[in-house]
Short mmCIF file of all heavy atoms in Angstrom, two decimals:
data_model
loop_
_atom_site.label_atom_id
_atom_site.label_comp_id
_atom_site.label_asym_id
_atom_site.label_seq_id
_atom_site.Cartn_x
_atom_site.Cartn_y
_atom_site.Cartn_z
N THR R 43 -9.82 -8.43 0.57
CA THR R 43 -8.53 -7.75 0.61
C THR R 43 -8.63 -6.46 1.43
O THR R 43 -9.72 -6.06 1.84
CB THR R 43 -8.09 -7.40 -0.81
OG1 THR R 43 -9.05 -6.51 -1.37
CG2 THR R 43 -8.00 -8.62 -1.67
N ALA R 45 -8.22 -3.32 0.57
CA ALA R 45 -9.01 -2.24 -0.05
C ALA R 45 -10.50 -2.54 0.06
O ALA R 45 -11.30 -1.62 0.29
CB ALA R 45 -8.61 -2.10 -1.52
N ARG R 46 -10.87 -3.79 -0.10
CA ARG R 46 -12.29 -4.15 -0.02
C ARG R 46 -12.81 -4.01 1.40
O ARG R 46 -13.92 -3.54 1.63
CB ARG R 46 -12.50 -5.58 -0.53
CG ARG R 46 -12.27 -5.69 -2.02
CD ARG R 46 -12.37 -7.13 -2.51
NE ARG R 46 -11.64 -7.24 -3.78
CZ ARG R 46 -11.34 -8.40 -4.35
NH1 ARG R 46 -11.69 -9.54 -3.80
NH2 ARG R 46 -10.70 -8.41 -5.50
N VAL R 70 -10.04 7.63 -3.56
CA VAL R 70 -9.58 6.99 -4.80
C VAL R 70 -10.44 7.47 -5.96
O VAL R 70 -11.49 8.08 -5.76
CB VAL R 70 -9.65 5.44 -4.71
CG1 VAL R 70 -8.79 4.92 -3.57
CG2 VAL R 70 -11.09 4.98 -4.56
N ALA R 71 -9.99 7.19 -7.16
CA ALA R 71 -10.74 7.58 -8.35
C ALA R 71 -11.96 6.68 -8.50
O ALA R 71 -11.99 5.55 -8.00
CB ALA R 71 -9.87 7.47 -9.59
N PRO R 73 -13.23 5.02 -11.09
CA PRO R 73 -13.03 3.70 -11.70
C PRO R 73 -12.36 2.71 -10.75
O PRO R 73 -12.65 1.51 -10.78
CB PRO R 73 -12.14 3.99 -12.91
CG PRO R 73 -12.38 5.41 -13.23
CD PRO R 73 -12.62 6.08 -11.91
N SER R 74 -11.47 3.20 -9.91
CA SER R 74 -10.84 2.31 -8.94
C SER R 74 -11.88 1.74 -7.99
O SER R 74 -11.85 0.56 -7.63
CB SER R 74 -9.78 3.05 -8.14
OG SER R 74 -8.83 3.64 -8.99
N THR R 78 -13.17 -2.08 -6.91
CA THR R 78 -13.20 -2.56 -5.53
C THR R 78 -14.58 -3.07 -5.14
O THR R 78 -14.71 -4.11 -4.48
CB THR R 78 -12.79 -1.42 -4.57
OG1 THR R 78 -11.48 -0.98 -4.92
CG2 THR R 78 -12.80 -1.88 -3.13
N ASP R 96 -32.18 9.37 -8.68
CA ASP R 96 -31.25 9.64 -9.78
C ASP R 96 -30.96 8.33 -10.50
O ASP R 96 -30.25 7.47 -9.97
CB ASP R 96 -29.97 10.28 -9.25
CG ASP R 96 -29.06 10.77 -10.38
OD1 ASP R 96 -29.15 10.24 -11.51
OD2 ASP R 96 -28.26 11.68 -10.12
N GLY R 97 -31.51 8.21 -11.68
CA GLY R 97 -31.40 6.97 -12.42
C GLY R 97 -29.98 6.59 -12.80
O GLY R 97 -29.72 5.44 -13.18
N ARG R 98 -29.07 7.55 -12.70
CA ARG R 98 -27.69 7.21 -13.04
C ARG R 98 -26.98 6.50 -11.90
O ARG R 98 -25.97 5.83 -12.09
CB ARG R 98 -26.90 8.49 -13.38
CG ARG R 98 -27.41 9.22 -14.58
CD ARG R 98 -26.76 10.58 -14.68
NE ARG R 98 -27.05 11.40 -13.50
CZ ARG R 98 -26.62 12.64 -13.35
NH1 ARG R 98 -25.88 13.20 -14.26
NH2 ARG R 98 -26.93 13.31 -12.27
P DG M 11 -4.23 -14.56 -12.65
OP1 DG M 11 -5.00 -15.80 -12.43
OP2 DG M 11 -4.44 -13.72 -13.85
"O5'" DG M 11 -4.42 -13.62 -11.37
"C5'" DG M 11 -3.91 -14.03 -10.11
"C4'" DG M 11 -3.84 -12.82 -9.21
"O4'" DG M 11 -2.65 -12.05 -9.53
"C3'" DG M 11 -5.03 -11.87 -9.38
"O3'" DG M 11 -5.50 -11.48 -8.11
"C2'" DG M 11 -4.44 -10.70 -10.16
"C1'" DG M 11 -3.01 -10.70 -9.63
N9 DG M 11 -2.08 -10.03 -10.53
C8 DG M 11 -1.98 -10.18 -11.89
N7 DG M 11 -1.06 -9.43 -12.42
C5 DG M 11 -0.53 -8.73 -11.35
C6 DG M 11 0.50 -7.77 -11.30
O6 DG M 11 1.16 -7.32 -12.24
N1 DG M 11 0.73 -7.31 -10.01
C2 DG M 11 0.05 -7.74 -8.89
N2 DG M 11 0.38 -7.19 -7.73
N3 DG M 11 -0.92 -8.65 -8.92
C4 DG M 11 -1.15 -9.10 -10.18
P DA M 12 -6.85 -10.64 -8.01
OP1 DA M 12 -7.81 -11.45 -7.23
OP2 DA M 12 -7.23 -10.12 -9.35
"O5'" DA M 12 -6.37 -9.40 -7.12
"C5'" DA M 12 -5.66 -9.66 -5.92
"C4'" DA M 12 -5.13 -8.37 -5.37
"O4'" DA M 12 -4.07 -7.89 -6.22
"C3'" DA M 12 -6.16 -7.25 -5.30
"O3'" DA M 12 -6.00 -6.58 -4.07
"C2'" DA M 12 -5.84 -6.36 -6.49
"C1'" DA M 12 -4.33 -6.57 -6.65
N9 DA M 12 -3.88 -6.48 -8.03
C8 DA M 12 -4.37 -7.17 -9.10
N7 DA M 12 -3.75 -6.89 -10.22
C5 DA M 12 -2.80 -5.95 -9.87
C6 DA M 12 -1.84 -5.25 -10.61
N6 DA M 12 -1.67 -5.40 -11.92
N1 DA M 12 -1.05 -4.38 -9.95
C2 DA M 12 -1.23 -4.23 -8.63
N3 DA M 12 -2.10 -4.83 -7.82
C4 DA M 12 -2.87 -5.69 -8.52
P DG M 13 -7.01 -5.47 -3.64
OP1 DG M 13 -6.94 -5.35 -2.17
OP2 DG M 13 -8.28 -5.72 -4.32
"O5'" DG M 13 -6.39 -4.15 -4.28
"C5'" DG M 13 -5.29 -3.54 -3.64
"C4'" DG M 13 -4.88 -2.36 -4.48
"O4'" DG M 13 -4.49 -2.83 -5.78
"C3'" DG M 13 -6.02 -1.37 -4.73
"O3'" DG M 13 -5.71 -0.15 -4.07
"C2'" DG M 13 -6.04 -1.19 -6.25
"C1'" DG M 13 -4.71 -1.78 -6.68
N9 DG M 13 -4.74 -2.33 -8.03
C8 DG M 13 -5.57 -3.29 -8.52
N7 DG M 13 -5.36 -3.56 -9.78
C5 DG M 13 -4.31 -2.74 -10.13
C6 DG M 13 -3.64 -2.58 -11.37
O6 DG M 13 -3.85 -3.16 -12.43
N1 DG M 13 -2.63 -1.63 -11.28
C2 DG M 13 -2.32 -0.92 -10.16
N2 DG M 13 -1.32 -0.05 -10.26
N3 DG M 13 -2.94 -1.05 -8.99
C4 DG M 13 -3.91 -1.98 -9.06
P DT M 14 -6.76 1.00 -3.97
OP1 DT M 14 -6.49 1.69 -2.71
OP2 DT M 14 -8.10 0.45 -4.26
"O5'" DT M 14 -6.36 1.96 -5.17
"C5'" DT M 14 -5.16 2.72 -5.11
"C4'" DT M 14 -4.69 3.10 -6.48
"O4'" DT M 14 -4.59 1.93 -7.33
"C3'" DT M 14 -5.61 3.98 -7.28
"O3'" DT M 14 -5.55 5.31 -6.86
"C2'" DT M 14 -5.02 3.82 -8.67
"C1'" DT M 14 -4.41 2.41 -8.65
N1 DT M 14 -5.06 1.48 -9.59
C2 DT M 14 -4.59 1.42 -10.88
O2 DT M 14 -3.68 2.10 -11.27
N3 DT M 14 -5.23 0.53 -11.68
C4 DT M 14 -6.28 -0.29 -11.35
O4 DT M 14 -6.78 -1.05 -12.16
C5 DT M 14 -6.75 -0.17 -9.99
C7 DT M 14 -7.88 -1.01 -9.50
C6 DT M 14 -6.11 0.70 -9.17
P DA M 15 -6.49 6.42 -7.51
OP1 DA M 15 -6.38 7.66 -6.72
OP2 DA M 15 -7.81 5.78 -7.67
"O5'" DA M 15 -5.87 6.66 -8.96
"C5'" DA M 15 -4.53 7.11 -9.10
"C4'" DA M 15 -4.20 7.26 -10.58
"O4'" DA M 15 -4.18 5.95 -11.20
"C3'" DA M 15 -5.23 8.08 -11.34
"O3'" DA M 15 -4.73 9.37 -11.63
"C2'" DA M 15 -5.47 7.31 -12.64
"C1'" DA M 15 -4.76 6.01 -12.48
N9 DA M 15 -5.69 4.88 -12.59
C8 DA M 15 -6.54 4.39 -11.64
N7 DA M 15 -7.24 3.36 -12.03
C5 DA M 15 -6.84 3.16 -13.33
C6 DA M 15 -7.22 2.22 -14.31
N6 DA M 15 -8.12 1.27 -14.10
N1 DA M 15 -6.62 2.30 -15.51
C2 DA M 15 -5.71 3.25 -15.73
N3 DA M 15 -5.27 4.19 -14.88
C4 DA M 15 -5.88 4.09 -13.69
P DT M 16 -5.80 10.41 -12.31
OP1 DT M 16 -5.31 11.74 -11.88
OP2 DT M 16 -7.18 10.03 -12.00
"O5'" DT M 16 -5.66 10.25 -13.89
"C5'" DT M 16 -4.40 9.99 -14.49
"C4'" DT M 16 -4.58 9.78 -16.00
"O4'" DT M 16 -5.07 8.44 -16.25
"C3'" DT M 16 -5.59 10.70 -16.67
"O3'" DT M 16 -5.14 10.98 -18.00
"C2'" DT M 16 -6.87 9.89 -16.68
"C1'" DT M 16 -6.32 8.48 -16.92
N1 DT M 16 -7.16 7.41 -16.36
C2 DT M 16 -7.48 6.32 -17.14
O2 DT M 16 -7.10 6.21 -18.29
N3 DT M 16 -8.26 5.37 -16.54
C4 DT M 16 -8.74 5.41 -15.24
O4 DT M 16 -9.42 4.50 -14.81
C5 DT M 16 -8.36 6.58 -14.48
C7 DT M 16 -8.82 6.71 -13.07
C6 DT M 16 -7.59 7.51 -15.06
P DA M 17 -5.93 11.99 -18.94
OP1 DA M 17 -4.87 12.71 -19.70
OP2 DA M 17 -6.93 12.75 -18.17
"O5'" DA M 17 -6.70 11.02 -19.95
"C5'" DA M 17 -5.96 10.02 -20.64
"C4'" DA M 17 -6.87 9.29 -21.61
"O4'" DA M 17 -7.63 8.28 -20.89
"C3'" DA M 17 -7.91 10.17 -22.30
"O3'" DA M 17 -8.09 9.70 -23.63
"C2'" DA M 17 -9.16 9.97 -21.45
"C1'" DA M 17 -9.01 8.48 -21.08
N9 DA M 17 -9.68 8.09 -19.85
C8 DA M 17 -9.72 8.79 -18.68
N7 DA M 17 -10.39 8.17 -17.72
C5 DA M 17 -10.82 7.00 -18.32
C6 DA M 17 -11.59 5.92 -17.85
N6 DA M 17 -12.07 5.84 -16.61
N1 DA M 17 -11.84 4.90 -18.70
C2 DA M 17 -11.35 4.97 -19.95
N3 DA M 17 -10.61 5.94 -20.51
C4 DA M 17 -10.38 6.93 -19.63
P DA M 18 -9.09 10.42 -24.66
OP1 DA M 18 -8.37 10.49 -25.94
OP2 DA M 18 -9.65 11.62 -24.02
"O5'" DA M 18 -10.25 9.33 -24.80
"C5'" DA M 18 -9.90 8.00 -25.18
"C4'" DA M 18 -11.15 7.14 -25.22
"O4'" DA M 18 -11.60 6.87 -23.87
"C3'" DA M 18 -12.35 7.79 -25.92
"O3'" DA M 18 -13.04 6.79 -26.66
"C2'" DA M 18 -13.19 8.31 -24.76
"C1'" DA M 18 -12.95 7.21 -23.74
N9 DA M 18 -13.20 7.61 -22.36
C8 DA M 18 -12.81 8.79 -21.76
N7 DA M 18 -13.17 8.87 -20.49
C5 DA M 18 -13.83 7.67 -20.25
C6 DA M 18 -14.45 7.15 -19.11
N6 DA M 18 -14.51 7.79 -17.94
N1 DA M 18 -15.03 5.92 -19.21
C2 DA M 18 -14.97 5.30 -20.39
N3 DA M 18 -14.41 5.68 -21.53
C4 DA M 18 -13.85 6.89 -21.40
P DA M 21 -26.19 3.12 -23.60
OP1 DA M 21 -26.83 1.78 -23.58
OP2 DA M 21 -26.33 4.03 -24.76
"O5'" DA M 21 -26.65 3.91 -22.30
"C5'" DA M 21 -26.47 3.30 -21.03
"C4'" DA M 21 -26.95 4.25 -19.97
"O4'" DA M 21 -26.05 5.38 -19.91
"C3'" DA M 21 -28.34 4.84 -20.22
"O3'" DA M 21 -29.06 4.74 -19.01
"C2'" DA M 21 -28.07 6.29 -20.61
"C1'" DA M 21 -26.81 6.57 -19.82
N9 DA M 21 -25.96 7.64 -20.33
C8 DA M 21 -25.56 7.85 -21.62
N7 DA M 21 -24.78 8.89 -21.77
C5 DA M 21 -24.65 9.40 -20.49
C6 DA M 21 -23.96 10.51 -19.98
N6 DA M 21 -23.21 11.32 -20.73
N1 DA M 21 -24.05 10.73 -18.65
C2 DA M 21 -24.79 9.91 -17.90
N3 DA M 21 -25.48 8.84 -18.28
C4 DA M 21 -25.37 8.64 -19.59
P DT M 22 -30.66 5.04 -18.96
OP1 DT M 22 -31.28 4.03 -18.10
OP2 DT M 22 -31.09 5.29 -20.36
"O5'" DT M 22 -30.72 6.44 -18.19
"C5'" DT M 22 -30.19 6.48 -16.88
"C4'" DT M 22 -29.98 7.92 -16.49
"O4'" DT M 22 -29.06 8.55 -17.38
"C3'" DT M 22 -31.24 8.77 -16.54
"O3'" DT M 22 -31.58 9.07 -15.19
"C2'" DT M 22 -30.83 10.01 -17.36
"C1'" DT M 22 -29.33 9.93 -17.35
N1 DT M 22 -28.61 10.52 -18.49
C2 DT M 22 -27.81 11.61 -18.27
O2 DT M 22 -27.67 12.12 -17.17
N3 DT M 22 -27.18 12.10 -19.39
C4 DT M 22 -27.25 11.62 -20.67
O4 DT M 22 -26.64 12.14 -21.58
C5 DT M 22 -28.10 10.47 -20.84
C7 DT M 22 -28.27 9.85 -22.21
C6 DT M 22 -28.75 9.98 -19.75
P DA M 23 -32.74 10.11 -14.84
OP1 DA M 23 -33.11 9.91 -13.43
OP2 DA M 23 -33.76 10.05 -15.91
"O5'" DA M 23 -31.98 11.51 -14.93
"C5'" DA M 23 -30.83 11.65 -14.15
"C4'" DA M 23 -30.50 13.10 -13.90
"O4'" DA M 23 -29.69 13.58 -14.98
"C3'" DA M 23 -31.69 14.02 -13.77
"O3'" DA M 23 -31.51 14.82 -12.62
"C2'" DA M 23 -31.68 14.86 -15.06
"C1'" DA M 23 -30.25 14.73 -15.56
N9 DA M 23 -30.13 14.51 -16.99
C8 DA M 23 -30.75 13.57 -17.75
N7 DA M 23 -30.41 13.59 -19.02
C5 DA M 23 -29.50 14.64 -19.09
C6 DA M 23 -28.77 15.18 -20.15
N6 DA M 23 -28.85 14.74 -21.40
N1 DA M 23 -27.95 16.21 -19.88
C2 DA M 23 -27.86 16.66 -18.62
N3 DA M 23 -28.49 16.23 -17.54
C4 DA M 23 -29.31 15.21 -17.85
#
Side-chain angles (χ1 to χ4, degrees):
Chain R
T43 61
R46 291 176 202 168
V70 301
S74 304
T78 301
D96 189 336
R98 297 169 300 181

